[in-house]
C-alpha cells in the first residue's frame, strides 16, 4: 500500500514538473547544491603549476586538517590540466601533469570527497589550453567517465566565437550535455558577471555563477568584490548561488583581520566557500579562519538567503543575513585606517525590544541588548554577530 502511494506521489510530482516545464534531470541538477558548495580549487595558489601530486596532497589535507569535517567537499582542478584531443576528438589530460584522471578521481572519492574540473565554452581556456567548443557532448561524457562531480565552465575565448545574444545558449549546451550523462555534476558558470548572469544563470542549469572579474589576494580587491555584491541577494537561493570568486585566505597578502573580513563577508553573502590556498602548508591561524564552525553555519544556513547591506557610513558597513531559525547574522565591517566603533541598530535588521547577541569569532555570548549594539572594529576587520530575539 505504502509503495503504491509513493509511486503515485512520484508520478504526480513528475507530471507537475512537466507542467511547469522542468525535466526530472534538470530538477535533480537544481538539487545538487542545496547550500553553497564548499571545497578547494587549484587556481589562486598554484595557477598552471597544478598536477596530480598536488591535488592528492590537497585532498589528503582536506581530510586530515579537519576541513572535510567542517564541510569542505570538492577538490577542484582549475585551468592547465588539459592535453590534446585524440583522432576521435576526445580530450586527454596533459600526461606529464595528470597521468590518469580516472585514478585521481577514484583517489579523491576514496577520501569521501568529490572531484571538480575546468573547461571553456570557447575553443581555448583562459590559459590557452583546449576548450570544449564543438566538443561539449564528448567532454561531458569524458568527465562523467572519469568520475568528475563539478565543472567550472569559463568563458575566456568564447567571446571570439559567440555573440552576446548567444551567451545563454552556449552555457545551456554544456548543461544539456552534462544532464545527458546521467551523472550529477555541479555546474559552475564563469563569465565574470557579464550580461547580468544572475538573471538567467539558473535557467541554463547553473548551480553557481561568477558575478565579477577575478579576485586578488589583497584587501582592496577583496572588499571591492565582496561589498560590490549589494543588490544581488534576491537572485541566490538553494541550488543556485551568486559566486563572488574563490577565497584567498592563507595566500599571504592580507593579515588575519582582513582574512576574517573576507570569510565573514563571503558567509554573509551565502557565497560558495572554495579555498584557494595551499592546504598542505597552511598555518593554524589560516585553518582556524577557514573552519570556524559558527561562521560556516551562517554560509550553510538551510534557508539559503544571501545577505545585504543595511547601512554604510563612510568606511563603516553593516551587513545582515537572515537565518532559518529567525535569527540574523550581522557583520560589522571597518574599511577605514584605524579602529572605529561600528553600530547596528536592531530596528534596521527587523528587531524591536530585547535581543541576545553572540560573537561568532570570539565564540562568546555577549548578553541581552536593546536598541543598538556597538563594537570597536579594527582597521579592515570585522565583528560578526548572531542576533536573536526571544521567540523569533
Ligand atoms: C579566469 C578565471 C579564473 C581562472 C583562470 C584560469 O581568469 O576567472 O578563476 O579560472 O581563468 O585560466
Amino acid at each position: 500500500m505504502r509503495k503504491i502511494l509513493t509511486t503515485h506521489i512520484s508520478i504526480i510530482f513528475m507530471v507537475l514538473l512537466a507542467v511547469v516545464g522542468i525535466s526530472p534531470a534538470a530538477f535533480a541538477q537544481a538539487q545538487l547544491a542545496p547550500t553553497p558548495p564548499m571545497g578547494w580549487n587549484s587556481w589562486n595558489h598554484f595557477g598552471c603549476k597544478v598536477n596530480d601530486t598536488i591535488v592528492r596532497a590537497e585532498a589528503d589535507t582536506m581530510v586530515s586538517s579537519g576541513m572535510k569535517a567542517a564541510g569542505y567537499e570538492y577538490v577542484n582542478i582549475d585551468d592547465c590540466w588539459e592535453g590534446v584531443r585524440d583522432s576521435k576528438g576526445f580530450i586527454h589530460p596533459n600526461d606529464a601533469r595528470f597521468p590518469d584522471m580516472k585514478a585521481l578521481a577514484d583517489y579523491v572519492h576514496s577520501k569521501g570527497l568529490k572531484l571538480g574540473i575546468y573547461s571553456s565554452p570557447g575553443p581555448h581556456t583562459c590559459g590557452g589550453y583546449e576548450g570544449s567548443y564543438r566538443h561539449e557532448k564528448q567532454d561531458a561524457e569524458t568527465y562523467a567517465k572519469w568520475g568528475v562531480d563539478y565543472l567550472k565552465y569559463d568563458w575566456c575565448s568564447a567571446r571570439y566565437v559567440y555573440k552576446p545574444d548567444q551567451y545563454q545558449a552556449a552555457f545551456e549546451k554544456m548543461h544539456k550535455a552534462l544532464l545527458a550523462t546521467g551523472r550529477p555534476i555541479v555546474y559552475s558558470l564563469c563569465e565574470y558577471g557579464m550580461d547580468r548572469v544572475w538573471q538567467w544563470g539558473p535557467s541554463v542549469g547553473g548551480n553557481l555563477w561568477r558575478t565579477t572579474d577575478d579576485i586578488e589576494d589583497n584587501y582592496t580587491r577583496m572588499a571591492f568584490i565582496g561589498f560590490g555584491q549589494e543588490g544581488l541577494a534576491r537572485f541566490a537561493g538553494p541550488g543556485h548561488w551568486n559566486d563572488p570568486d574563490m577565497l584567498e585566505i592563507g595566500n599571504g597578502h592580507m593579515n588575519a583581520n582582513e582574512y576574517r573580513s573576507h570569510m565573514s563577508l563571503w558567509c554573509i553573502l551565502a557565497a560558495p566557500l572554495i579555498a584557494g590556498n595551499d592546504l598542505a602548508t597552511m598555518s593554524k591561524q589560516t585553518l582556524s579562519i577557514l573552519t570556524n564552525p559558527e561562521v560556516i553555519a551562517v554560509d550553510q544556513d538551510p534557508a539559503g538567503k544571501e545577505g545585504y547591506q543595511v547601512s554604510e557610513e563612510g568606511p563603516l558597513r553593516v551587513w545582515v543575513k537572515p537565518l532559518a531559525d529567525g535569527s540574523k547574522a550581522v557583520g560589522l565591517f571597518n574599511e577605514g585606517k584605524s579602529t572605529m566603533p561600528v553600530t547596528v541598530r536592531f530596528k534596521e535588521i527587523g528587531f524591536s525590544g530585547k535581543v541576545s547577541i553572540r560573537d561568532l569569532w570570539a565564540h562568546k555570548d555577549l548578553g541581552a541588548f536593546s536598541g543598538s549594539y556597538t563594537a570597536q572594529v579594527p582597521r579592515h576587520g570585522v565583528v560578526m554577530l548572531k542576533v536573536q530575539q526571544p521567540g523569533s
Side-chain angles (χ1 to χ4, degrees):
M1 181 63 192
R2 201 161 170 191
K3 195 157 174 232
I4 297 172
L5 200 65
T6 320
T7 315
H8 270 95
I9 291 170
S10 313
I11 292 169
I12 293 168
F13 188 60
M14 295 298 178
V15 171
L16 276 176
L17 287 178
V19 169
V20 291
I22 303 171
S23 73
F27 179 76
Q29 164 91 20
Q31 305 307 298
L32 275 181
T35 59
M38 293 176 67
W40 170 89
N41 172 292
S42 55
W43 183 253
N44 285 356
H45 184 85
F46 292 100
C48 272
K49 295 201 181 93
V50 64
N51 61 34
D52 179 282
T53 312
I54 289 172
V55 174
R56 284 172 192 251
E58 299 299 315
D60 291 346
T61 316
M62 196 177 274
V63 177
S64 63
S65 65
M67 282 189 67
K68 177 176 180 242
Y72 292 85
E73 183 180 23
Y74 292 95
V75 177
N76 293 351
I77 306 166
D78 207 274
D79 204 356
C80 311
W81 64 267
E82 306 87 344
V84 289
R85 292 190 183 279
D86 62 24
S87 56
K88 294 198 175 106
F90 285 99
I91 185 86
H92 292 264
N94 173 321
D95 289 343
R97 292 203 190 116
F98 290 95
D100 187 341
M101 207 52 106
K102 166 97 176 70
L104 178 57
D106 289 347
Y107 184 77
V108 169
H109 292 156
S110 77
K111 302 246 143 194
L113 301 169
K114 293 183 169 158
L115 186 74
I117 212 160
Y118 167 101
S119 190
S120 170
H124 296 105
T125 65
C126 293
Y129 294 86
E130 193 68 27
S132 294
Y133 184 58
R134 291 188 169 149
H135 292 277
E136 295 82 358
K137 192 167 168 291
Q138 273 180 318
D139 285 1
E141 281 165 9
T142 303
Y143 304 152
K145 201 176 77 196
W146 286 340
V148 164
D149 307 290
Y150 184 117
L151 172 68
K152 174 174 166 186
Y153 207 44
D154 193 355
W155 194 241
C156 307
S157 69
R159 68 181 60 121
Y160 304 118
V161 292
Y162 291 115
K163 300 197 185 76
D165 65 352
Q166 297 173 313
Y167 286 9
Q168 300 184 29
F171 280 106
E172 194 170 20
K173 193 168 193 185
M174 181 52 99
H175 167 55
K176 289 195 167 142
L178 294 173
L179 283 184
T181 69
R183 184 175 176 84
I185 298 178
V186 170
Y187 190 30
S188 158
L189 315 185
C190 180
E191 47 83 278
Y192 337 112
M194 291 185 301
D195 199 28
R196 295 193 268 186
V197 60
W198 42 86
Q199 296 192 351
W200 49 265
S203 69
V204 300
N207 295 112
L208 59 155
W209 47 82
R210 279 271 297 276
T211 53
T212 76
D213 228 318
D214 293 14
I215 195 167
E216 289 160 22
D217 185 19
N218 63 73
Y219 180 79
T220 308
R221 181 77 186 146
M222 180 283 293
F224 174 79
I225 287 181
F227 294 126
Q229 301 301 296
E230 175 59 358
L232 299 185
R234 70 180 191 278
F235 300 104
H240 53 280
W241 308 101
N242 288 311
D243 173 12
D245 207 355
M246 303 168 294
L247 300 171
E248 290 282 9
I249 295 162
N251 278 333
H253 293 97
M254 289 188 243
N255 64 34
N257 284 334
E258 295 171 331
Y259 283 140
R260 270 191 285 271
S261 291
H262 185 4
M263 185 72 183
S264 305
L265 187 49
W266 262 236
C267 289
I268 287 173
L269 290 169
L273 297 178
I274 308 292
N277 59 317
D278 179 9
L279 307 183
T281 58
M282 73 185 149
S283 68
K284 283 215 166 83
Q285 186 175 62
T286 296
L287 178 65
S288 75
I289 294 174
L290 284 170
T291 56
N292 179 332
E294 298 191 58
V295 172
I296 289 178
V298 170
D299 183 76
Q300 296 291 302
D301 184 72
K305 293 203 170 126
E306 178 171 331
Y308 53 91
Q309 183 166 283
V310 286
S311 75
E312 183 179 354
E313 192 182 325
L316 313 178
R317 295 172 186 262
V318 178
W319 279 63
V320 65
K321 180 184 198 283
L323 302 175
D325 65 359
S327 67
K328 308 265 166 93
V330 173
L332 308 177
F333 295 93
N334 175 6
E335 290 194 89
K337 290 199 186 326
S338 58
T339 298
M340 283 203 253
V342 186
T343 299
V344 53
R345 284 169 208 87
F346 304 137
K347 239 181 13 204
E348 287 173 342
I349 59 167
F351 289 147
S352 56
K354 264 211 167 105
V355 298
S356 60
I357 300 187
R358 181 167 173 81
D359 184 324
L360 302 184
W361 285 107
H363 303 298
K364 214 170 121 189
D365 288 325
L366 302 179
F369 298 83
S370 311
S372 67
Y373 177 78
T374 299
Q376 295 295 325
V377 182
R379 169 185 193 267
H380 293 181
V382 65
V383 167
M384 193 164 167
L385 308 169
K386 184 165 173 170
V387 182
Q388 193 142 26
Q389 187 150 42
S392 70

